Amino acid sequence: MVLPGASLDVTRFTHPIDLHAVSITDPFWQRETELVRREVIPYQWDALNDRIPGAEKSWCMHNFRLAGRIMAQARQQGAQYTPQAYTYRGYNALPDDPAHPDEDKFYGFLFQDTDFSKWIEAVGYSLIQHPDEALEATADEAIDVVCAAQTPEGYLDTYYIINGMDGAFQNLRAHHELYCLGHLIEGAVSYYQATGKDKLLRAACRFADYVADFFGTADGQCKGYPGHEIAEMALVRLYEVTQDEKYLRLSRFFINERGQEPNYFVEEERRNAEREHRPVQSVNLAYHQAVKPVREQDEAIGHAVRAVYLYSGMADVARMTGDDSLKSACERLWRSIVQEKLYITGGIGATQIGEAFSYAYDLPNDTAYSETCAAIGLAFFARRMLQMSPQREYGDVMELALYNTVLSGMALDGKSFFYVNPLSVVPSACHADSRLQHVKTVRQKWFGCACCPPNIARIVSSIAAYAFTENEDTLLTHLYLGGSIRKTFPTGTLTLSIASDMPWDGHITVTLHADSPVSGTLGFRLPGWCPNPNVTADKPVRVADGYAYLSGDWHDGETIVLDFPMPVRLNRANNRVREDMRQVAVTRGPVTFCAEQADNGENLHLLRVNAEKFGKDGEGVQVLPDSRFGHRTVKLLVPGFRQQEDAEGALYAPYQSAEESPCQIELIPYYAWCNRGEGEMRVWLNV
Ligand code: FUB
Ligand code: ZN
């Protein structure tokens, strides 16, 4: 639905490749996707059903079952049925006696339904790569339970179905109905695309239809928008699957309304305060990205996950409608993130207060929030920007987030998770200092607010949709997963066999297979971390915006060889980042490295990198294969010094240069940290 007068040429935009056309076989991503399939998905299902001893309970399926019973009762009683009047039960309602929960009460966070939606989304992607009858049967049963909870009108959020439907859509700012809608859509689309079964998709459409009737520009319709974004991008996905323009219009409505005056959230708070006979509270509009209309925004602010979910939705709507003003806003917000607010691990959200972006260049390492979901959302945003403009930087940042903070969110055995991903940890400090209480020193089995683990499951199991996007005559490779990719061009089908050992080696061979010559364009990202990329092929190479393009007739057996040397790089931060002053971080290719206590002993702050010996391209660093983590990784031995620890006693003394002894500092990939017990960790090292 291109808008009249739209200035963007939407015909050149790309969409993610159909996951059915991809098979991932490289050791790195196959291991990750298998981990999600074998460990995370079954574990998640147990978590949704509160069957994990010692872990915080989800209550997700409990709530769906209860809502289903309420719906059955309503059907049975017909006109006699008296619905429950809305009672607020808290943001996170827990049983008074955890051993004896009340079967008839809603428990957990008010957005607990999304635990199911994210699970079913990951299940869908996983089934595409790995059909599994038993898992599909479990999923179908779960879908039956979820659909039984839907009201006859189509509403589907158990928090209000159980606690009183008359409260629905009265607190868009703090409650999460539209967030639940968004995740439900994402899950339903994934499961439909995987299995062809549309029961959940129909339920999601009915909920979306209900919302589309309730919200809109017509007289009498609600002018509100989501307090926690995601519906914006999900509705665009629903539009793409159903081709029903109503969903795209609704997404655009939510985006256009955000931040308009009079501010909906301010008005809503006034109404709620009046109804509840309490004083009006001030509303933090920045937290919700609602300070001003989105097209006027130029700084990434507020809750980081919400922000990047919004920007992803804006990019989707810009792409679908050709809206240049929305795309320009996305570009400005992107610049704000990557120039001023991005950790070298691909994490975003520097402050725990509001799980939010801090001010420009405020990137503390030990108190960092850097929520796993926020890095995932950044990858969502980056992929959507790539769909409109294949520019290297979007791919670089997406890759950085994926290989570092997204993966660091999950233990290497897939059994425990980080919500917060700091860049410097001293366990004794975390235990003693309440300013660090959000930082966990070991991964947790599960979280009551379990947003991150299922989010990892859904992005890892759909990783190919981030690696490859296409339009009619072009296939773009943004990430170098190894495996096979089938692309249908107007003149035939081409299969790319990609041999890749990324992220450890930048030598990639693409072999093409076709029954007869196929004409089309292949584009490959030339990573920003590689100083001298090389492409060898029998066709001319055109480079634009950091992508190498090769066009023409492709013949069976033709090869393209991509060489991306990956020197070890010593990085400094812009010196406006006070926390990184006189420190360096080491990267190699897309991977950021860190020092751990397990390899370097305690007191990592007493280490210093010897920058001279390090060499311009890391000539002084040993790059060694490492098999200690159950899969092949790389470790680095970096020349450095260790300072003696001072004796206890005098706190201050006249300055004199410290006594140091030379040492090798051992570094491992950041994503692999904290898999050998609790210990110190540091990304930025003194120099
Ligand atoms: O509010 C839902 C999710 O919980 C957010 O995305 C996370 O940041 C966590 O607060
Ligand atoms: Zn999260």
Side-chain angles (χ1 to χ4, degrees):
M1 183 186 73
V2 179
L3 293 174
S7 41
L8 298 177
D9 176 10
V10 301
T11 59
R12 298 311 305 153
F13 295 167
T14 61
H15 54 265
I17 194 148
D18 178 348
L19 295 179
H20 290 92
V22 186
S23 152
I24 302 167
T25 52
D26 80 56
F28 191 88
W29 284 104
Q30 199 192 30
R31 196 193 83 86
E32 293 292 344
T33 52
E34 276 296 281
L35 211 55
V36 167
R37 184 179 77 79
R38 286 175 193 276
E39 298 294 338
V40 186
I41 289 176
Y43 187 86
Q44 248 181 302
W45 178 238
D46 283 342
L48 298 187
N49 287 285
D50 308 318
R51 293 196 292 249
I52 298 183
E56 286 192 54
K57 290 198 165 153
S58 159
W59 305 107
C60 175
M61 296 313 288
H62 159 98
N63 294 333
F64 275 117
R65 286 197 183 90
L66 169 56
R69 288 200 300 279
I70 293 173
M71 281 303 107
Q73 199 183 16
R75 265 196 311 277
Q76 220 172 32
Q77 295 180 0
Q80 317 304 320
Y81 176 71
T82 322
Q84 144 112 30
Y86 176 63
T87 334
Y88 178 60
R89 301 240 1 271
Y91 198 73
N92 180 17
L94 296 176
D96 297 334
D97 175 1
H100 299 100
D102 186 337
E103 283 303 308
D104 293 327
K105 281 199 168 145
F106 176 97
Y107 291 122
F109 285 88
L110 36 75
F111 47 85
Q112 217 67 32
D113 290 5
T114 58
D115 282 10
F116 160 79
S117 301
K118 289 187 199 173
W119 176 76
I120 199 77
E121 188 180 342
V123 167
Y125 301 139
S126 175
L127 289 175
I128 293 176
Q129 284 283 306
H130 198 285
D132 177 336
E133 273 180 29
L135 177 61
E136 198 171 322
T138 305
D140 288 340
E141 281 167 31
I143 288 170
D144 289 343
V145 172
V146 169
C147 291
Q150 189 161 33
T151 72
E153 297 77 22
Y155 184 90
L156 183 45
D157 178 340
T158 65
Y159 174 79
Y160 283 105
I161 294 172
I162 296 169
N163 295 322
M165 278 294 297
D166 54 321
F169 299 135
Q170 310 257 352
N171 193 346
L172 295 180
R173 181 175 58 85
H175 293 188
H176 283 54
E177 291 153 287
L178 296 172
Y179 174 76
C180 290
L181 167 73
H183 272 300
L184 180 69
I185 292 172
E186 296 273 2
V189 170
S190 161
Y191 197 70
Y192 167 69
Q193 288 177 332
T195 62
K197 295 177 184 168
D198 68 354
K199 182 169 182 176
L200 192 63
L201 185 68
R202 280 185 285 118
C205 286
R206 286 181 59 219
F207 190 14
D209 294 345
Y210 182 98
V211 171
D213 282 345
F214 193 90
F215 292 87
T217 48
D219 279 354
Q221 283 186 302
C222 176
K223 306 292 175 289
Y225 40 88
H228 192 313
E229 300 89 331
I230 189 181
E232 297 84 346
M233 62 173 141
L235 284 162
V236 173
R237 202 163 167 211
L238 193 59
Y239 162 63
E240 287 182 290
V241 171
T242 61
Q243 288 299 305
D244 187 338
E245 283 188 2
K246 178 190 348 176
Y247 303 131
L248 179 57
R249 279 199 302 272
L250 181 58
S251 171
R252 195 162 163 269
F253 165 81
F254 285 149
I255 284 169
N256 288 348
E257 286 302 315
R258 183 171 295 274
Q260 300 288 354
E261 287 295 334
N263 190 286
Y264 183 84
F265 291 147
V266 172
E267 298 290 306
E268 180 187 72
E269 166 58 15
R270 200 170 292 146
R271 278 196 304 274
N272 288 345
E274 201 176 311
R275 196 180 49 242
E276 293 160 17
H277 309 292
R278 59 167 174 80
V280 176
Q281 285 167 6
S282 76
V283 175
N284 181 352
L285 294 177
Y287 176 87
H288 297 281
Q289 301 75 44
V291 176
K292 46 186 167 180
V294 298
R295 287 176 184 74
E296 293 168 28
Q297 297 188 16
D298 47 22
E299 183 181 1
I301 54 169
H303 186 274
V305 180
R306 294 173 202 235
V308 279
Y309 282 16
L310 168 67
Y311 309 155
S312 301
M314 287 163 60
D316 275 339
V317 170
R319 178 172 55 87
M320 297 311 305
T321 62
D323 185 336
D324 201 12
S325 62
L326 211 46
K327 180 168 180 264
S328 301
C330 290
E331 286 162 351
R332 291 195 305 276
L333 292 161
W334 174 269
R335 286 255 68 73
S336 162
I337 295 175
V338 302
Q339 270 175 220
E340 301 173 338
K341 304 195 177 192
L342 176 67
Y343 283 105
I344 197 162
T345 49
I348 50 172
T351 172
Q352 180 249 336
I353 299 169
E355 307 182 301
F357 284 109
S358 186
Y359 55 90
Y361 302 106
D362 182 41
L363 291 165
N365 294 309
D366 56 351
T367 59
Y369 202 69
S370 183
E371 181 177 340
T372 308
C373 287
I376 291 169
L378 181 60
F380 293 165
F381 182 30
R383 207 274 313 279
R384 284 159 173 81
M385 294 308 283
L386 278 172
Q387 287 178 247
M388 287 192 281
S389 313
Q391 291 179 26
R392 169 168 48 211
E393 185 184 69
Y394 298 130
D396 286 345
V397 171
M398 179 169 81
E399 189 183 46
L400 185 75
L402 286 167
Y403 278 107
N404 298 286
T405 299
V406 173
L407 292 184
S408 122
M410 179 166 71
L412 294 174
D413 64 4
K415 291 186 170 142
S416 57
F417 305 89
F418 276 141
Y419 190 116
V420 165
N421 296 278
L423 286 82
S424 167
V425 168
V426 175
S428 54
C430 295
H431 300 317
D433 185 347
S434 56
R435 288 168 302 181
L436 292 168
Q437 67 184 5
H438 59 288
V439 177
K440 299 288 173 245
T441 56
V442 289
R443 290 183 181 80
Q444 311 288 292
K445 277 201 201 169
W446 199 249
F447 307 90
C449 171
C451 50
C452 304
N455 235 352
I456 300 173
R458 70 190 185 116
I459 198 167
V460 167
S461 52
S462 59
I463 188 69
Y466 297 82
F468 308 102
T469 64
E470 60 174 327
N471 60 22
E472 197 187 20
D473 58 14
T474 304
L475 174 70
L476 298 179
T477 300
H478 308 292
L479 303 173
Y480 292 96
L481 314 187
S484 85
I485 295 92
R486 227 173 36 254
K487 160 73 186 151
T488 302
F489 289 96
T491 52
T493 297
L494 192 66
T495 302
L496 286 72
S497 294
I498 303 184
S500 164
D501 194 17
M502 281 287 282
W504 315 120
D505 190 316
H507 181 79
I508 294 140
T509 306
V510 183
T511 309
L512 302 171
H513 305 285
D515 292 339
S516 54
V518 174
S519 165
T521 298
L522 300 177
F524 299 94
R525 176 176 137 260
L526 304 173
W529 44 257
C530 176
N532 47 349
N534 190 49
V535 181
T536 313
D538 281 342
K539 290 199 170 36
V541 179
R542 179 176 65 85
V543 175
D545 294 330
Y547 275 69
Y549 292 92
L550 300 94
S551 300
D553 288 339
W554 299 99
H555 297 87
D556 192 43
E558 241 183 294
T559 59
I560 302 162
V561 178
L562 304 149
D563 267 303
F564 303 139
M566 41 173 80
V568 183
R569 203 157 124 180
L570 197 60
N571 304 275
R572 76 167 179 90
N574 185 306
N575 63 15
R576 291 164 195 233
V577 183
R578 291 187 295 275
E579 288 81 359
D580 296 340
M581 194 62 197
R582 298 202 193 289
Q583 297 183 63
V584 286
V586 179
T587 54
R588 180 172 179 271
V591 177
T592 302
F593 283 75
C594 67
E596 272 208 296
Q597 180 177 335
D599 304 308
N600 300 286
E602 272 182 295
N603 295 327
L604 298 177
H605 67 285
L606 296 178
L607 295 172
R608 173 168 80 84
V609 171
N610 183 338
E612 264 171 41
K613 275 206 175 166
F614 190 102
K616 191 175 140 299
D617 287 321
E619 299 85 354
V621 177
Q622 289 184 61
V623 181
L624 301 171
D626 191 355
S627 52
R628 290 173 299 171
F629 294 108
H631 67 295
R632 203 169 71 70
T633 67
V634 157
K635 70 175 177 184
L636 307 177
L637 296 183
V638 172
F641 299 99
R642 176 179 280 280
Q643 197 180 115
Q644 281 293 319
E645 187 178 20
D646 287 335
E648 279 185 84
L651 196 48
Y652 304 104
Y655 175 77
Q656 59 184 42
S657 53
E659 275 194 30
E660 297 179 314
S661 39
C663 70
Q664 298 269 29
I665 306 174
E666 188 170 325
L667 304 183
I668 62 158
Y670 174 74
Y671 77 83
W673 89 275
C674 199
N675 281 279
R676 294 173 291 174
E678 188 180 63
E680 288 184 29
M681 181 278 291
R682 231 179 137 98
V683 170
W684 288 96
L685 302 165
N686 293 322
V687 68

